[in-house]
C-alpha cells in the first residue's frame, strides 16, 4: 500500500511540474507576442489580407 501511495505522489508531483512549466511557457509566449504586436506599425497589420481580396 505504501508503494502505491509513493508512486501516486511521485506522478502527481511530476504532473504539477509539467503544468507549471507549461504555464510559464504560455505566459512567456503571450508576453512576447504582445511585445511584437506593439513593435509592428499599426498600418501593416492588415496589409497581407488586403492583397488577396
Amino acid at each position: 500500500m505504501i508503494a502505491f501511495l509513493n508512486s501516486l505522489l511521485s506522478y502527481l508531483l511530476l504532473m504539477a511540474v509539467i503544468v507549471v512549466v507549461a504555464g510559464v511557457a504560455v505566459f512567456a509566449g503571450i508576453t512576447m507576442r504582445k511585445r511584437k504586436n506593439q513593435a509592428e506599425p499599426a498600418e501593416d497589420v492588415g496589409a497581407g489580407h488586403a492583397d488577396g481580396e
Side-chain angles (χ1 to χ4, degrees), residues 35-53:
R35 285 185 187 170
K36 186 175 181 181
N37 285 346
Q38 288 178 352
E40 292 176 351
E43 60 200 38
D44 290 340
V45 172
H49 297 293
D51 294 338
E53 291 182 26

Side-chain angles (χ1 to χ4, degrees), residues 5-25:
L5 289 176
N6 192 14
S7 295
L8 179 67
L9 290 176
S10 175
Y11 280 112
L12 287 176
L13 180 62
L14 179 64
M15 185 179 71
V17 169
I18 291 172
V19 167
V20 168
V21 169
V24 168

Side-chain angles (χ1 to χ4, degrees), residues 24-38:
V24 168
V26 167
F27 178 76
I30 290 172
T31 303
M32 289 189 294
R33 185 68 230 189
K34 286 181 180 179
R35 285 185 187 170
K36 186 175 181 181
N37 285 346
Q38 288 178 352

